[in-house]
Amino acid sequence: MFRRQCDISEELMIKTANLMKSLGLIDAGYNYFNLDDCYSEKQRSPSGDIVASKTKFPSGMKALTDQIHELGLKAGIYSDSGWFTCQIYPGSYQNEVRDIKLFQDWGFDYLKYDNCAVPFDNITRENIMGRYERMANAISDLSISSAKPPMVLSLCQWGREQGWMWARRYGQSWRTTNDIQPTWSSIADLINQNSFYTWATDFYGHNDMDIVRNGDLSYEEAKTHFTAWALMKSPLLISADLESASKETLEILMNPEIIAIHQDPVVGTSVSPFRWGINPDYVSNETHPAQYWSGESQSGTVFMLINTLDEPATMFFNLTESPWIRAGRQYTVRDLWTHTDNGTTVRNFTAHDVPSHGVVALLLQDAGDEPEGLWPPCAVIEWCMAQDGTMIDPDKKWSAEKHEDL
């Protein structure tokens, strides 16, 4: 994706798309190049169409998308469900059918659809969902009439009206929050908000946590940002000046093991918190989001640990706190950032000296039965009992033979 406020041009777009290829981003799995706002003239044509800016895109949009497609990329365009875009260029309200046909004729495959310049209630007689339904219907009808695949629709409604409850009816992704800022406080806040509706993401639709934007982040914070977005299966939409991107930035954006989890062809669900850590479970805290996460993948169980503190920390968890781990088994440990196999773990795992605002990303794979003779005989001690009725749980100091009513 490319977003640079209104400082855009045909030359810059083509240069950036070519950098995606030469730097290896296309090979890493990034397959869309998306324009954002400000690409058009301020006024529609006399016939009512959006007009591409004659100064920014002198060759026209079809020439641009042709070059993007030749690189092996798909092309994305931007519009708005209101009268105007957020930068006060023509929006698509009451022009949905006209505009989506134009975008298809221009060669675009993807539409980011924003939520600015909202018409008065006595005009719309509908809410945000209704205004997005208008464009979704236009996309569906055009696909049928043109016998072409429907354009991907990305709803940019900033988390308003709980899009995670209804937006999959209309599009493939939906924004869950306000716009991201390139600061740790913004990253932590967005992780916190999304921790409460990870269930909404699967193959058919995705919570969109906004763009991947490193900005003023430290190296460790940038790793956490990318890891959380990828393992929560948010669309990975890069907003960066690739010409000046550092080697470290590119290594983060192209981590093959993290991307493999994000692009898992078998499991489409997000990681979810199993323990909040600093906060009581299920308590919102914009500065200290959930710290302990896990999820499924075709290759094993994924764990993500986030140190939200301003100093290094040791982080510990019992394996069976995750619902995807089987009791009585041992697991090999793969570190998805150091790209190393780190032996076998039984029952628990400790990550030492996790950097401030840093992340640990692990893939655990079943390695067979745990060793015999471990004590206690249950990883989860609650109500642990021998076959003869002997209670192992120290909080319940009695035997079953004395409680025949059980």
Side-chain angles (χ1 to χ4, degrees):
M1 180 181 184
F2 193 91
R3 185 164 89 178
R4 192 168 169 171
Q5 298 301 327
C6 288
D7 181 18
I8 59 174
S9 68
E10 180 179 301
E11 179 183 3
L12 183 59
M13 298 301 98
I14 296 302
K15 179 194 291 186
T16 304
N18 277 287
L19 281 169
M20 287 184 67
K21 185 175 182 66
S22 63
L23 293 173
L25 287 160
I26 296 176
D27 289 339
Y30 294 91
N31 57 1
Y32 279 89
F33 184 90
N34 299 346
L35 296 182
D36 210 270
D37 207 344
C38 308
Y39 61 83
S40 73
E41 299 289 348
K42 285 285 189 175
Q43 302 295 327
R44 289 177 176 267
S45 71
S47 62
D49 285 332
I50 292 174
V51 179
S53 169
K54 296 180 177 62
T55 55
K56 296 175 182 175
F57 297 94
S59 302
M61 286 300 181
K62 187 63 170 65
L64 175 67
T65 60
D66 284 347
Q67 292 184 71
I68 291 171
H69 289 146
E70 286 173 6
L71 292 170
L73 291 163
K74 295 180 180 179
I77 192 70
Y78 167 96
S79 192
D80 194 285
S81 62
W83 297 123
F84 302 98
T85 70
C86 297
Q87 297 295 327
I88 317 302
Y89 289 79
S92 291
Y93 184 70
Q94 294 186 344
N95 283 285
E96 293 86 0
V97 173
R98 173 193 296 274
D99 289 354
I100 202 64
K101 175 66 165 59
L102 178 66
F103 298 153
Q104 185 187 76
D105 291 345
W106 279 350
F108 287 100
D109 312 286
Y110 173 112
L111 173 64
K112 174 186 172 181
Y113 208 44
D114 222 329
N115 189 38
C116 291
V118 178
F120 294 166
D121 292 352
N122 64 357
I123 296 174
T124 66
R125 306 294 182 185
E126 57 195 0
N127 57 7
I128 291 174
M129 179 167 60
R131 287 188 287 112
Y132 280 91
E133 183 179 24
R134 293 169 64 98
M135 180 54 82
N137 288 341
I139 290 173
S140 177
D141 292 345
L142 178 62
S143 177
I144 293 170
S145 64
S146 66
K148 294 181 179 179
M151 193 173 293
V152 172
L153 179 59
S154 172
L155 289 74
C156 185
Q157 83 313 337
W158 324 314
R160 305 298 191 266
E161 294 184 4
Q162 298 177 295
W164 48 91
M165 301 288 289
W166 51 264
R168 69 175 59 246
R169 301 177 189 178
Y170 307 121
Q172 288 70 46
S173 66
W174 47 88
R175 280 281 299 280
T176 53
T177 62
N178 287 325
D179 289 352
I180 190 174
Q181 301 301 319
T183 62
W184 173 250
S185 61
S186 177
I187 301 301
D189 182 25
L190 267 59
I191 293 172
N192 174 61
Q193 292 183 58
N194 280 272
S195 68
F196 296 98
Y197 27 83
T198 58
W199 53 266
T201 285
D202 59 24
F203 281 126
Y204 306 102
H206 300 269
N207 290 330
D208 180 358
M209 300 167 68
D210 204 7
I211 54 179
V212 176
R213 186 179 182 188
N214 288 349
D216 297 327
L217 302 179
S218 70
Y219 174 66
E220 296 297 337
E221 290 168 346
K223 284 170 55 182
T224 302
H225 174 22
F226 184 74
T227 303
W229 266 236
L231 300 190
M232 294 170 78
K233 305 293 178 76
S234 175
L236 296 178
L237 303 170
I238 301 169
S239 178
D241 182 353
L242 294 181
E243 195 168 25
S244 62
S246 68
K247 180 181 177 181
E248 284 185 341
T249 293
L250 292 172
E251 286 177 350
I252 290 171
L253 296 176
M254 293 191 289
N255 181 327
E257 296 191 70
I258 297 292
I259 291 175
I261 303 299
H262 182 264
Q263 294 291 302
D264 192 321
V266 177
V267 179
T269 50
S270 165
V271 294
S272 297
F274 60 84
R275 176 153 46 95
W276 261 246
I278 291 175
N279 302 306
D281 290 349
Y282 304 103
V283 172
S284 177
N285 186 323
E286 65 182 19
T287 59
H288 293 291
Q291 295 183 283
Y292 296 86
W293 305 62
S294 70
E296 296 179 282
S297 82
Q298 67 170 335
S299 302
T301 302
V302 181
F303 285 86
M304 177 174 71
L305 314 180
I306 301 174
N307 177 15
T308 64
L309 299 174
D310 295 332
E311 59 188 15
T314 294
M315 303 184 70
F316 170 91
F317 63 94
N318 295 313
L319 301 189
T320 51
E321 289 184 79
S322 165
W324 314 117
I325 290 292
R326 297 167 58 192
R329 308 287 286 180
Q330 58 186 327
Y331 288 82
T332 59
V333 180
R334 175 75 177 177
D335 189 309
L336 302 181
W337 277 108
T338 63
H339 308 296
T340 55
D341 294 319
N342 295 350
T344 302
T345 188
V346 178
R347 294 201 176 181
N348 56 63
F349 183 87
T350 302
H352 298 279
D353 299 320
V354 181
S356 170
H357 304 167
V359 70
V360 175
L362 306 171
L363 179 67
L364 270 60
Q365 294 179 308
D366 193 306
D369 291 342
E370 68 181 17
E372 293 291 338
L374 295 182
W375 191 265
C378 300
V380 178
I381 201 65
E382 183 181 23
W383 269 92
C384 181
M385 181 178 286
Q387 190 172 1
D388 64 4
T390 301
M391 177 64 72
I392 307 301
D393 185 345
D395 292 332
K396 297 180 174 60
K397 300 180 183 298
W398 45 264
S399 66
E401 64 185 21
K402 295 180 180 179
H403 291 72
E404 295 179 357
D405 56 323
L406 293 177

